[in-house]
Amino acid sequence: MEKLEQLYEGKAKKVYRTDSPDLLIVDYKDDATAFNGLKKGTIGGKGVINNQMSNRLMQILEQHGVPTHFVKELSQRETLVRKVRIVPLEVIVRNISAGSFSKRYGVEEGMVFDAPTVEFSYKNDELGDPLLNTDHALALKLATAEEIDTIRNYALQINEILKQFWLECGVTLVDFKLEFGRMDDGTIILADEISPDTSRLWDIKTGEKLDKDRFRRDLGGVEEAYEEIMKRLVDHETK
Ligand code: TMP
Ligand code: ASP
C-alpha cells in the first residue's frame, strides 16, 4: 500500500491518501503541542512510540470486540487505517481527578472516583474544544442520540479493558481521550490514537507521571517517560 498525496497535517500526525478509497496512512510525528497549540516542542522518538503503542492497544481492544480503524502497521511511524468521518467530539474518560477536571471543580489531583466519568468536548480548535453535554451535542447536530449512546458505551468498555491492561503493567490509568469515526455505512468505530499524548498514566507504586503531562508542565524527563511506558507495554507482551 502506497502513500499518495498528503490530505491533512495535524499537531501530531500527518494523513495520506492511498490507492484504496477506504484506507488512509497516518504518519506519527515527534512534534508535541499543549494548551491548544500555545506550547510547542518535540519529544524525540514519540512518533515511533505512539504509533506502536496505539496499534498494540487497538489490537487488544479488537480482541475484546471493540471495532477500531487499525488495519496494519507499515513502519515504525506509519500505519494503515480505515478511512472514517471523524465525529467532532473528544470523548474523555476519567477514573481519577486530574488536569482540567481538578482545575474546573477545584479538587486535588488523585481523587479516585467511585465510577468512571465520561465527558465530551466539541472538537473545534478555534473555540478551544469547549466542554459540552449530550443535549448540546444533539443541538449542534454533531452526532445522533443513538451514536452518542454507542460512543459512551464503547468509551466505558474501552476504559475497563485498558485499566486492566495498564494495571498488569504496573500503571494506573487516570484518564484518556478518544475519538470515534463513522464508516460509509454509518458504523461507529474507534479512530485517532491511544498513547501517552492522549492518556494520563501514573506508575502504580511511585505515582510518577509517565505521559505528556511531563511536557505540558515542564517536569523534565519527557523522553524517558515515553520510553519507560513503552517498555512496560513491551515487557507485558514478553511475559
Ligand atoms: P484534561 O484533563 O486536560 O481535560 O485531559 C484529559 C485527558 O485527555 C488527558 O489524558 C489528556 C487528554 N487530552 C488529549 O488527548 N487532547 C487534548 O487536547 C486535551 C486537552 C486532553
Ligand atoms: N495537543 C493538545 C493541543 O495542543 C493539547 C494537549 O494534549 O494538552 O491543543
Side-chain angles (χ1 to χ4, degrees), residues 43-44 49 208-211 214 220-231:
I43 301 174
I49 288 174
E208 192 190 352
K209 296 185 197 308
L210 300 173
D211 57 59
R214 301 206 74 85
V222 183
E223 276 89 358
E224 291 79 0
Y226 277 73
E227 280 158 23
E228 175 62 24
I229 196 75
M230 189 64 201
K231 182 176 177 297

Side-chain angles (χ1 to χ4, degrees), residues 11 35-36 90-94 98-102 104 119 121 129 174-179 192 195-201 212-213 216-217:
K11 294 182 194 127
F35 315 117
N36 203 14
E90 301 213 338
V91 182
I92 293 162
V93 183
R94 301 179 192 271
S100 70
F101 184 97
S102 288
R104 183 177 319 114
E119 75 191 38
S121 288
D129 299 339
V174 175
D175 58 32
F176 57 97
K177 187 263 300 181
L178 302 171
E179 294 182 25
D192 194 49
S195 71
D197 274 21
T198 63
S199 314
R200 286 196 174 92
L201 302 160
K212 194 178 163 190
D213 269 350
R216 294 189 188 98
R217 304 179 187 187

Side-chain angles (χ1 to χ4, degrees), residues 96-99 101-103 105-113 202:
I96 297 177
S97 65
F101 184 97
S102 288
K103 196 165 176 226
Y105 303 117
V107 292
E108 270 179 37
E109 292 206 329
M111 186 177 110
V112 180
F113 302 154
W202 294 354

